Amino acid sequence: MASPEQQMDTLREGLSRVILDQLAETLRDYSSGNLANPVLRFEAFIQDGEPGPQGHSPRSPVVSKMVDLSGIISQNTTNSPNASNLGRENVENSTPPTISPQMMMDEGPASSSRSMPLVRAQRTPSQGPQLSFESEPAGSSSQRRGTGALRPVRGAGRVLEEEPDSQRRMQVTNNFPKRTKTLASDTVFTPQQSSIEKFVVSIWEQIHGGISLDPQSLLEQWQLTATAATATINNAGKIHVPEQLELGLLQAPTADGTMAEIDMEGTFNRSNIFCRKVTQASRACRSIEVIVQARWIEHFDSYVELLAITNPGMSPTKRRKAALIEACNDFGWSEKELRNKMAIWRGYKEIKDAGGWAALVFAGMGLYRFCKYRVGFNTDSMQRLRCLRPRIEVAADTLHPTWRQLLIIVGEPAQRRFCGHPHDWVVRQDGSDPVPLRSTYLEYDPYFSFEQLEHSVMDMSAWGTDDPRWVPPMNTVACVQGKHTCHSCGQEQSEDPKINSCYCFPTLFGSGGRSPCPVQVFRTPDGRNNGLMALSPFERGAAIGEFVGLITKDLQNMDVMDSSTGVRAYQIWQGRQGNFTRFVNHSCKSNAQFQQFVWMSTQRIILVSKGIEAGHEITVDYSGSYWRGLDKDCLCGESCCRYRSAPR
């Protein structure tokens, strides 16, 4: 038998699911028309569900309420234009008012002669005006007057939970039914196992991360080990350490966190370099380990086939058993231990056969678990790796030119297939070979060439040495002293990570060098030529990259980025120079936008994510200023497309 509290929770959940969701959805698109003060009135009755005689009058309502809708269904959404004429609009969608189950159900049933108390919905300013519920006696014939939507919240002593600033998020009320607690003895621990999606993302993160697979790091580690082995003890019993190891790295800090008679800052910097070299060497050793183990599986299978030729009367099971016992003697392991390892090593071989050596070498830390549990390890996932193989090799060869030298140990050639910049190649989603970027534009421009840039360059004929992106500093005195203040967060900006306090876009500014962005230029299948694909997920608000190119002005009838500091207007042209942001296509339902940002008194244009999953194309909204008068149709294919028809 359910308790009264459980019955009330069940009733609230049922009413919320049946009534409130449909009511909120209807009110969202409702137009107030000519109503000066729209009010929603509703009454609830309880009666027999069986069909009764015609004309039967219902009982008095158990609930009679009125909701003031003024300022809710008639409010307008303000769109703020972005800073480029390519239509990079920053459109914020307002969230429709949500009626919480607690607003209507925290009160028990009331009779027609009972006045209901006032209940208000708590809302943050970003969510618009708050709903106020006001009850009245049932059956009253007096004219009802709507209450104002904006009111001071009573009960200042109550502690209100902070709601997220961003909109379009689901909310959970406090009266959500609690799950029944299970006993500890009934709990079964299930480890979170890898999937093919996580495995592929880990490959891209490793390739575009800060790892170094240069075999030279292994040689340095071996030389360091050999040098350490030459340490001797003299006659006085004092250990003599060679000069190469006198780094002060093995001395532990004192209780106050300092090191006696040692330059702490210099020691810390040397320790960072030393640890980085050892970590890179260890990472290279792990890559060698997996490729050797994958190759060993191939040798094992070949040896079993050899036994079949030399001993045709031996059954397949006995042949594998004989090869396994011989390997156990050489390894010094038990048969069970070797079988367990072989199951994982065979997974390495299957990944190598499908995705190539690069997929195995640059696999993340989840490689072992992926091959052990084999979740998602099927024919479809291996076919997906085959399609990704050329794309993985393009990124590996261009970002890590020496990685193939690790394959010499297993007898593979060390020559690269792809050279140049990662974005000088256009990949295809069907697994066919990548093509040079220039070849995809020769049809439109026989003299096409494109130079990859890290930073924008000035058009000397247009601006000379004067940068039009300069923005007056917020604090002139601080600027004279060499300090810059962020216009967005108000923190100090500096190229030195020790001084910088602005973390608006840490992947681009203030954190040292930039890592390669995990994106690739790909050939679109719907006639839009090239596009830009995200290889790893980008969270909402994260910077994808900076829009760089030639800083110029007064260009007409060309694809350019228009921007202005409020003092001077300028253009960024990417026709012959730029970076991967040049290949971002338009979409009427974009997942990214261009945004202005001032870094050290210089305005920058940043490509910012609205929330992009791995494997999705990155798009922006060019807006009407780009499409106005343009003699071509939009090919985004979205149901909300605004530029599909020719007249504009």
Side-chain angles (χ1 to χ4, degrees):
M1 183 66 181
S3 63
E5 291 79 9
Q6 293 177 342
Q7 293 178 355
M8 180 60 68
D9 290 343
T10 303
L11 179 61
R12 287 171 175 168
E13 182 182 7
L15 292 177
S16 174
R17 183 172 58 252
V18 175
I19 300 176
L20 297 183
D21 294 342
Q22 182 178 358
L23 184 60
E25 183 70 18
T26 303
L27 292 178
R28 183 181 63 179
D29 301 326
Y30 183 81
S31 177
S32 60
N34 297 326
L35 299 179
N37 187 21
V39 175
L40 171 67
R41 176 189 175 188
F42 60 92
E43 297 178 342
F45 301 85
I46 297 180
Q47 62 185 32
D48 192 355
E50 297 295 332
Q54 298 293 334
H56 176 70
S57 59
R59 300 180 181 179
S60 299
V62 295
V63 175
S64 178
K65 286 186 177 291
M66 181 174 60
V67 183
D68 183 13
L69 301 180
S70 60
I72 298 178
I73 62 175
S74 60
Q75 60 184 353
N76 296 326
T77 303
T78 303
N79 296 340
S80 58
N82 208 333
S84 69
N85 83 328
L86 285 180
R88 285 67 171 173
E89 295 177 325
N90 183 10
V91 180
E92 297 292 340
N93 296 327
S94 60
T95 304
T98 304
I99 302 179
S100 171
Q102 189 174 359
M103 300 176 191
M104 297 179 58
M105 302 177 192
D106 280 353
E107 305 166 355
S111 63
S112 60
S113 61
R114 180 179 175 183
S115 177
M116 302 296 292
L118 181 66
V119 181
R120 290 185 176 87
Q122 310 294 339
R123 298 178 65 85
T124 61
S126 62
Q127 293 174 305
Q130 59 185 21
L131 295 175
S132 61
F133 287 74
E134 187 172 7
S135 61
E136 60 181 20
S140 174
S141 60
S142 61
Q143 184 178 3
R144 296 172 175 81
R145 180 176 59 86
T147 58
L150 296 176
R151 289 188 172 187
V153 179
R154 298 181 181 178
R158 297 175 56 191
V159 179
L160 301 179
E161 296 183 359
E162 294 184 359
E163 298 185 6
D165 294 335
S166 58
Q167 300 179 358
R168 302 183 66 85
R169 288 191 179 182
M170 299 180 63
Q171 299 180 1
V172 180
T173 58
N174 294 331
N175 59 349
F176 189 82
K178 304 295 188 298
R179 295 181 181 270
T180 305
K181 294 184 178 180
T182 57
L183 299 178
S185 58
D186 298 335
T187 304
V188 178
F189 174 74
T190 304
Q192 184 179 1
Q193 300 171 349
S194 300
S195 63
I196 184 62
E197 290 79 13
K198 294 181 180 179
F199 177 72
V200 171
V201 170
S202 70
I203 295 176
W204 295 125
E205 290 177 347
Q206 291 290 313
I207 293 178
H208 294 85
I211 67 171
S212 174
L213 296 182
D214 189 354
Q216 184 65 28
S217 62
L218 290 177
L219 298 178
E220 293 178 357
Q221 187 186 40
W222 291 335
Q223 292 174 358
L224 188 61
T225 304
T227 303
T230 61
T232 59
I233 301 178
N234 58 20
N235 295 332
K238 182 179 179 180
I239 298 179
H240 171 69
V241 181
E243 184 179 356
Q244 293 91 328
L245 295 181
E246 291 181 355
L247 302 176
L249 300 176
L250 303 181
Q251 181 175 349
T254 59
D256 58 356
T258 61
M259 290 186 177
E261 301 179 358
I262 291 182
D263 179 14
M264 183 60 192
E265 182 176 359
T267 300
F268 180 67
N269 292 335
R270 291 194 299 270
S271 177
N272 293 339
I273 297 174
F274 180 77
C275 186
R276 174 179 59 84
K277 290 182 178 180
V278 172
T279 302
Q280 290 176 351
S282 176
R283 180 63 178 82
C285 287
R286 189 171 71 87
S287 297
I288 292 179
E289 177 186 6
V290 295
I291 63 178
V292 168
Q293 291 166 350
R295 180 67 86 192
W296 183 87
I297 292 294
E298 294 179 346
H299 289 173
F300 178 84
D301 294 340
S302 299
Y303 185 66
V304 173
E305 294 177 0
L306 178 62
L307 292 179
I309 298 175
T310 57
N311 299 279
M314 185 181 296
S315 65
T317 302
K318 290 184 177 181
R319 291 196 297 265
R320 295 183 62 85
K321 180 76 171 181
L324 187 64
I325 293 177
E326 185 174 348
C328 288
N329 294 332
D330 293 335
F331 279 105
W333 296 340
S334 65
E335 181 179 344
K336 179 180 179 181
E337 185 178 4
L338 183 56
R339 284 183 181 274
N340 291 337
K341 293 182 181 297
M342 284 182 61
I344 299 173
W345 296 356
R346 190 166 294 279
Y348 297 164
K349 175 185 176 298
E350 294 176 12
I351 290 176
K352 185 269 298 182
D353 293 340
W357 288 109
L360 190 60
V361 169
F362 290 95
M365 299 302 295
L367 172 64
Y368 176 86
R369 188 170 58 179
F370 182 56
C371 294
K372 179 178 180 179
Y373 296 107
R374 303 181 75 87
V375 175
F377 213 105
N378 49 39
T379 305
D380 294 338
S381 61
M382 293 300 105
Q383 179 59 33
R384 180 179 177 186
L385 281 179
R386 290 187 184 93
C387 293
L388 290 174
R389 180 171 181 170
R391 299 171 54 185
I392 295 175
E393 291 184 352
V394 165
D397 282 349
T398 54
L399 294 175
H400 303 271
T402 61
W403 79 271
R404 289 185 183 269
Q405 295 181 12
L406 298 176
L407 303 180
I408 297 178
I409 197 172
V410 292
E412 294 291 331
Q415 185 177 1
R416 289 190 294 169
R417 289 188 58 197
F418 306 97
C419 301
H421 195 276
H423 303 142
D424 284 338
W425 297 90
V426 179
V427 300
R428 300 178 183 270
Q429 294 179 290
D430 58 0
S432 56
D433 289 338
V435 297
L437 175 66
R438 184 174 183 273
S439 65
T440 61
Y441 290 96
L442 293 179
E443 177 183 355
Y444 314 101
D445 183 3
Y447 305 101
F448 176 83
S449 63
F450 190 77
E451 178 186 0
Q452 302 286 347
L453 298 178
E454 292 293 333
H455 303 281
S456 295
V457 296
M458 297 297 301
D459 184 358
M460 304 300 292
S461 61
W463 297 104
T465 58
D466 187 16
D467 192 343
R469 300 174 298 168
W470 181 82
V471 177
M474 298 179 60
N475 190 333
T476 307
V477 177
C479 184
V480 173
Q481 298 175 353
K483 298 181 180 180
H484 300 270
T485 304
C486 178
H487 291 229
S488 301
C489 65
Q491 300 297 321
E492 182 178 357
Q493 296 178 338
S494 175
E495 296 291 354
D496 187 353
K498 298 179 182 179
I499 302 176
N500 178 63
S501 299
C502 172
Y503 302 104
C504 294
F505 298 111
T507 58
L508 299 181
F509 307 106
S511 300
R514 300 180 183 179
S515 299
C517 185
V519 296
Q520 273 187 334
V521 182
F522 78 105
R523 190 72 171 181
T524 60
D526 51 6
R528 292 177 297 140
N529 203 1
N530 299 328
L532 191 67
M533 177 176 293
L535 304 179
S536 300
F538 290 93
E539 296 181 354
R540 182 178 180 87
I544 303 174
E546 180 184 357
F547 190 94
V548 302
L550 181 67
I551 308 297
T552 184
K553 62 180 179 180
D554 299 334
L555 294 183
Q556 300 292 333
N557 300 322
M558 302 179 70
D559 289 351
V560 295
M561 169 76 76
D562 273 353
S563 187
S564 173
T565 61
V567 178
R568 286 182 294 185
Y570 63 92
Q571 295 174 327
I572 303 180
W573 183 56
Q574 293 184 325
R576 290 292 185 265
Q577 297 171 304
N579 62 356
F580 59 85
T581 57
R582 180 194 195 277
F583 309 103
V584 178
N585 283 324
H586 163 84
S587 175
C588 294
K589 189 178 180 181
S590 61
N591 55 16
Q593 66 185 29
F594 286 106
Q595 179 177 329
Q596 290 180 338
F597 177 70
V598 178
W599 174 255
M600 298 183 65
S601 299
T602 301
Q603 186 182 89
R604 311 294 182 96
I605 307 298
I606 310 300
L607 178 62
V608 182
S609 167
K610 295 181 180 179
I612 305 174
E613 296 295 331
H616 289 199
E617 182 181 1
I618 301 175
T619 57
V620 296
D621 190 343
Y622 288 2
S623 82
S625 61
Y626 175 86
W627 292 98
R628 190 177 301 113
L630 195 62
D631 188 19
K632 64 179 181 180
D633 290 338
C634 174
L635 300 177
C636 69
E638 298 290 346
S639 58
C640 59
C641 181
R642 307 188 303 273
Y643 312 106
R644 186 178 296 113
S645 57
R648 296 182 180 90

